[in-house]
């Protein structure tokens, strides 16, 4: 039986910055200063979180009013095992909370200690975060109580214009069975392609034939020599870069393949050209794993250049 | 010139699996396309327009929908589009494309590998990015807030919710019994109240004109509409689904439906939808077992349309409803009416 497809953890993260505009900017500034502002729409209703546009008249909302830091739970649930990023790292209740003076409910966490203490209609108050920057997380959470707790001042007065929200996601990336065979062959120092049964093209790495929409099946060993079809010289430094600029990233059409792979060409950057013949420079076999990084780079072989006609279909 | 009549002429779906291998979806889609096209009696080159629904957030891959085009075989070049929603909304785009006379046939598909990440956490990112998503309220907790509101209002009971789960499991052939004594996953939701996380894909073929009549079996699309409710979870009454009611009205949902496939990933949501759509006891709900027994993200809504069409195409129903939802707590809803005959549109 074939080995199971290869998989690997994939963690991605980005700190999203967002400009706030006039309504949310004032709302976030208020949170930093220990105040909660709601927006009043034409029908007189006060919305917390604030709306930027009146849902009935569609006019921009300009009037913001203070509401109280105490409120009433209108719906709730209970989380025994908090997920990464949630407001509390111990069991808590997510709840919809209508603050006193507001007509709509805000979603936030309630630090009730136990599920038995949660109920619809319960009175809660804001627990302010010790350090506040103008963000919904300036409300650390809510806690059961009818009495407001005043926040410590921040001593800041500049308006909040932006928020930053870090997003961290964790995945397991799983390759296809064909990709797994390709990667496992790489770990043995071999390059493997697969041929489309319809158009007879050979794909490296193997994939469903993008022209015919059918799986490729016939395995084709591929030589680690090839031809530069096109290339660029990287002169700009960037985070995570593996080589010092200037260096060459090229599309290399391996002998026997019908689709080029991207890789580095090491040599005189000014000398790399379309049609140049190159060969793989493998790392030490002891370091090989299931990755194309087993090939450190490609080097010029010194053979005569391949004629343009031999690779023009692959540009 | 009157708008062309459009029919569902083909459908297929991949088995819903806890984990379906590759993250890309291509390998899952190839056999689904083949089966749907065979059902429709079409060759892939006879498809005028391809439209898909998926999201890069699901598997953490950039441009996964471009990658998926490999499964089509895009040579000669094809006309293709994509929505970052359940593929039921890709169906809507394709339907309008055909109504506009820009295509006669379309293949609509949805796919997603929910198991690549932590689905309930990933789905927090569909919420308001300023005041809600930074708190990471997971999709099950958000649904639980809705269920609690419906319980408090006396609109549903935990027993009625369990009965929805029991009927769904019986129809899907799932032998695991519901358990009202089971612990809550997110109070008041138990395991049987929540759709399982699964990977999958579905494809639907629609056509007008000669193509619609050429195949052996068809279900005419006699009304489609979709509506959305406000974004703020605290801005709306979570116990009602005004967008579903409005979509049903706009689509001309008939009052003599035989069967409805409702896209309700949580038991209480089926009960809320039945009330919002005015579905009485005469209407057979979710003979497939519904999303509670298989909710592949981005294709489960499309599959509801395909399965409702299947009821009509097989002759088991004369009028069927396919419903799809998108967003948190039934925020957005699509209604598709399918019929064996086209009454007023016969020409």
């Amino acid at each position: 039986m074939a080995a199971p497809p290869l998989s690997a953890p994939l963690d991605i993260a980005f700190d999203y910055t967002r400009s706030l505009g006039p309504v949310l900017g004032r709302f976030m500034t208020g949170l930093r200063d220990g105040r909660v502002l709601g927006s009043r729409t034409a029908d007189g209703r006060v919305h917390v979180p604030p709306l930027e546009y009146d849902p009935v008249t569609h006019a921009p909302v300009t009037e913001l009013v203070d509401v109280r830091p105490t409120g009433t739970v209108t719906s709730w649930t209970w989380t025994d095992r908090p997920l990464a990023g949630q407001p509390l790292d111990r069991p808590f209740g997510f709840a919809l909370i209508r603050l006193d003076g507001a007509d709509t409910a805000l979603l936030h966490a309630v630090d009730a200690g136990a599920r038995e203490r949660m109920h619809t209609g319960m009175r809660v108050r804001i627990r302010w975060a010790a350090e506040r920057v103008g963000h919904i997380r300036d409300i650390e959470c809510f806690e059961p109580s009818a009495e407001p707790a005043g926040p410590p001042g921040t001593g800041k007065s500049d308006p909040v214009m932006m928020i930053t929200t870090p997003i961290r996601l964790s995945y397991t990336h799983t390759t296809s069975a064909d990709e797994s065979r390709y990667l496992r062959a790489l770990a043995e120092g071999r390059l493997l392609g697969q041929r489309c049964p319809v158009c007879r093209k050979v794909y490296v790495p193997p994939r469903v034939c993008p022209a015919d929409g059918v799986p490729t099946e016939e395995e084709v060993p591929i030589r680690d020599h090839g031809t530069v079809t096109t290339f660029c010289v990287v002169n700009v430094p960037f985070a995570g870069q593996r080589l010092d600029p200037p260096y060459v990233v090229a599309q290399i059409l391996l002998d026997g393949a019908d689709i080029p792979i991207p890789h580095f060409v090491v040599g005189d950057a000014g000398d790399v050209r379309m049609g140049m013949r190159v060969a793989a420079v493998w790392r030490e076999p002891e370091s090989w794993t299931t990755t194309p990084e087993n090939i450190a780079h490609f080097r010029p072989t010194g053979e005569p250049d391949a004629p343009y006609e031999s690779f023009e279909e692959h540009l | 010139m009157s708008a062309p009549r459009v029919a569902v002429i083909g459908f297929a779906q991949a088995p819903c699996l806890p984990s379906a291998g590759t993250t890309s979806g291509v390998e899952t889609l190839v056999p689904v396309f083949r089966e749907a096209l065979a059902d429709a009696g079409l060759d892939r080159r006879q498809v005028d327009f391809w439209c898909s629904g998926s999201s890069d957030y699901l598997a953490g891959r950039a441009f996964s929908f471009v990658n998926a085009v490999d499964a089509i075989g895009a040579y000669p070049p094809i006309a293709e589009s994509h929505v970052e929603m359940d593929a039921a909304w890709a169906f809507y785009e394709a339907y309008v494309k055909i109504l506009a006379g820009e295509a006669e046939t379309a293949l609509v598909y949805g796919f997603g590998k929910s198991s690549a990440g932590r689905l309930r956490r990933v789905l927090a990112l569909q919420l308001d990015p300023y005041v809600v998503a930074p708190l990471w309220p997971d999709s099950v907790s958000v649904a639980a807030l809705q269920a609690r509101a419906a319980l408090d209002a006396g609109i549903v009971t935990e027993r009625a919710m369990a009965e929805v789960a029991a009927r769904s499991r019986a129809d899907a052939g799932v032998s695991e019994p519901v358990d009202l004594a089971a612990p809550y996953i997110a109070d008041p939701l138990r395991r049987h109240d929540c759709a399982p996380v699964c990977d999958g894909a579905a494809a639907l073929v629609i056509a007008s004109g000669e193509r619609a009549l050429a195949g052996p079996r068809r279900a005419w699309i006699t009304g489609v509409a979709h509506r959305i409710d406000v974004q703020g979870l605290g801005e709306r009454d979570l116990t009602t689904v005004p967008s579903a009611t409005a979509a049903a009205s706009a689509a001309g949902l008939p009052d003599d439906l035989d069967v409805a496939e409702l896209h309700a990933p949580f038991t209480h949501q089926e009960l809320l939808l039945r009330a919002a759509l005015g579905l009485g006891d005469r209407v057979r709900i979710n003979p497939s077992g519904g999303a509670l027994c298989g909710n592949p993200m981005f294709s489960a809504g499309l599959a509801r349309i395909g399965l409702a069409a299947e009821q009509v195409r097989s002759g088991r129903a004369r009028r069927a409803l396919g419903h799809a939802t998108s967003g948190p707590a039934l925020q957005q809803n699509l209604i598709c009416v399918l019929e064996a005959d086209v009454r007023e549109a016969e020409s």
Side-chain angles (χ1 to χ4, degrees):
Chain A
M1 192 179 141
L6 291 166
S7 62
L10 173 68
D11 295 326
I12 57 178
F14 192 74
D15 289 349
Y16 283 85
T17 55
R18 286 191 164 82
S19 58
L20 291 169
V23 173
L24 286 168
R26 285 163 69 193
F27 176 71
M28 296 301 182
T29 304
L31 292 181
R32 185 201 58 197
D33 297 340
R35 298 164 62 197
V36 183
L37 296 173
S39 63
R40 195 191 299 277
T41 46
D43 57 7
R45 284 161 55 84
V46 174
H47 303 257
V48 179
L51 295 182
E52 296 174 291
Y53 291 88
D54 190 311
V56 179
T57 68
H58 307 153
V61 171
T62 55
E63 186 187 358
L64 295 187
V65 298
D66 278 285
V67 300
R68 292 180 48 80
T70 50
T72 303
V73 168
T74 63
S75 187
W76 60 276
T77 180
W78 188 255
T79 298
D80 280 317
R81 286 186 295 277
L83 301 176
Q86 292 182 338
L88 295 164
D89 58 8
R90 54 186 175 276
F92 71 94
F94 269 120
L96 287 167
I97 299 151
R98 190 170 56 235
L99 292 174
D100 299 333
D103 295 293
T104 66
L106 169 83
L107 177 72
H108 219 298
V110 177
D111 188 11
R115 180 161 64 88
E116 291 67 33
R117 294 191 66 193
M118 295 291 301
H119 60 270
T120 302
M122 78 187 286
R123 296 287 295 160
V124 292
R125 71 178 178 195
I126 290 175
R127 180 191 297 161
W128 294 98
E131 198 170 324
R132 300 193 308 279
V133 296
H135 195 276
I136 192 66
R137 304 283 294 244
D138 288 356
I139 298 175
E140 183 179 309
C141 62
F142 283 75
E143 56 195 13
S145 175
E147 298 304 316
T154 61
K156 295 178 190 155
S157 59
D158 53 315
V160 176
M161 316 280 280
M162 301 275 287
I163 57 167
T164 301
T165 303
I167 300 294
R168 308 270 180 274
L169 294 168
S170 295
Y171 299 94
T172 299
H173 176 59
T174 308
T175 64
S176 70
D178 297 334
E179 287 169 332
S180 294
R181 280 199 293 277
Y182 168 74
L183 293 169
R184 288 187 168 114
L186 276 173
E188 298 166 359
R190 295 184 292 121
L191 286 160
L192 205 58
Q194 283 184 196
R195 193 187 306 278
C196 171
V198 179
C199 68
R200 309 298 295 164
K201 301 273 191 213
V202 173
Y203 293 98
V204 181
R207 62 197 281 193
V208 166
C209 177
D212 294 298
V214 297
T216 57
E217 279 150 15
E218 181 193 339
E219 290 191 356
V220 182
I222 302 296
R223 196 167 166 235
D224 63 356
H225 283 54
T227 300
V228 172
T229 61
T230 185
F231 66 98
C232 75
V233 181
V234 178
N235 288 297
V236 182
F238 57 85
Q241 204 164 31
R242 304 272 177 101
L243 300 176
D244 293 327
Y247 59 90
V248 173
V249 176
Q251 289 289 94
I252 297 163
L253 184 67
L254 296 169
D255 296 347
D258 286 295
I259 193 166
I261 61 166
H263 220 301
F264 303 115
V265 175
V266 168
D268 181 356
D271 192 44
V272 176
R273 57 199 178 273
M274 294 171 74
M276 176 186 253
R277 295 286 298 161
V278 292
V281 177
W282 294 77
R283 296 182 198 276
E284 290 301 312
E286 305 79 65
S287 70
W288 288 350
T289 60
T290 51
T291 166
E293 291 179 16
N294 295 346
I295 296 174
H297 55 263
F298 282 74
R299 61 167 175 84
T301 63
E303 297 165 85
D305 284 2
Y308 181 75
E309 299 71 40
S310 69
F311 60 86
E312 67 176 338
E313 263 191 43
H314 303 290
L315 287 169
Chain B
M1 196 183 92
S2 63
R5 292 181 291 156
V6 185
V8 172
I9 62 168
F11 173 67
Q13 61 177 333
C16 298
L17 301 172
S19 178
T22 173
T23 319
S24 81
V26 175
E27 288 74 17
T28 307
L29 284 169
V30 167
V32 172
F33 288 171
R34 196 170 289 166
E35 193 184 328
L37 289 169
D39 188 25
L42 286 185
D43 180 82
R44 69 181 171 91
R45 289 184 181 81
Q46 294 172 309
V47 175
D48 297 334
F49 182 58
W50 301 75
C51 200
S52 64
S54 71
S55 172
D56 288 355
Y57 277 93
L58 219 54
R61 284 177 65 122
F63 293 104
S64 57
F65 73 95
V66 176
N67 186 240
V69 170
D70 275 10
I72 298 174
Y75 185 83
I78 56 166
E80 182 266 350
S81 186
H82 174 258
V83 299
E84 191 94 357
M85 300 184 72
D86 188 287
W89 277 263
F91 155 77
Y92 187 81
E93 179 176 340
Y95 175 68
V96 170
K97 192 101 169 169
I98 292 177
L99 288 185
E102 292 182 19
E104 196 171 57
T105 57
L107 188 147
V108 183
Y109 62 102
F111 65 99
K113 186 174 169 63
S114 304
S115 67
R118 190 80 178 267
L119 179 65
R120 60 190 285 186
R121 186 169 178 271
V122 170
L123 288 177
L125 297 180
Q126 72 182 319
L127 303 168
D128 176 291
Y130 295 93
V131 296
V132 186
L135 305 169
W136 292 93
D138 56 281
S139 55
V140 181
S141 290
V142 170
L145 291 172
Q146 182 180 41
R148 165 86 52 216
L151 285 166
D152 285 347
I155 295 170
V156 305
T157 62
E158 293 186 30
R159 177 161 299 281
M161 288 159 61
E163 284 167 3
V164 168
R167 191 209 65 230
S168 301
R169 287 180 176 186
D171 284 335
V174 175
S175 57
E176 187 189 350
V178 303
D179 183 4
L180 269 170
Y184 294 116
I185 295 178
D187 193 335
L189 298 178
R190 298 181 171 88
R191 183 160 305 285
H192 65 238
D193 293 310
C194 307
V197 173
C198 62
D199 299 346
L204 187 78
V205 186
I206 59 176
S208 65
E210 293 301 312
R211 288 288 185 209
L213 296 166
R217 306 183 308 146
R218 67 199 65 78
W220 294 104
I221 301 164
T222 57
V224 186
H226 66 98
R227 294 289 186 273
I228 189 166
D229 286 309
V230 294
Q231 177 174 236
L233 291 164
E235 283 285 332
R236 60 181 166 115
D237 175 358
L238 292 175
T239 67
T240 63
V241 198
S243 58
T245 308
S249 172
L253 187 67
D255 53 18
D256 57 350
L257 276 179
D258 298 314
V259 63
E261 278 285 340
L262 301 179
H263 186 195
F266 299 92
T267 51
H268 70 279
Q269 294 182 339
E270 180 190 303
L271 298 170
L272 297 183
L273 284 167
R274 277 159 58 177
L277 300 174
L279 303 181
D281 292 340
R282 207 190 69 82
V283 184
R284 177 79 165 92
I285 306 290
N286 291 354
S288 69
L292 285 170
C293 298
N295 186 38
M297 293 300 299
F298 297 91
S299 63
L302 180 72
R304 302 276 80 71
I305 298 171
L307 290 161
E310 195 54 39
Q311 292 286 322
V312 172
R313 296 174 73 213
S314 64
R316 288 193 292 275
R318 286 184 57 75
R319 282 181 200 99
L321 159 65
H323 159 266
T325 194
S326 184
L330 298 175
Q331 187 196 3
Q332 191 160 4
N333 293 279
L334 182 146
I335 296 289
C336 176
V337 184
L338 298 142
E339 303 195 43
D341 312 296
V342 184
R343 284 165 288 191
E344 70 276 54
E346 287 288 0
S347 57

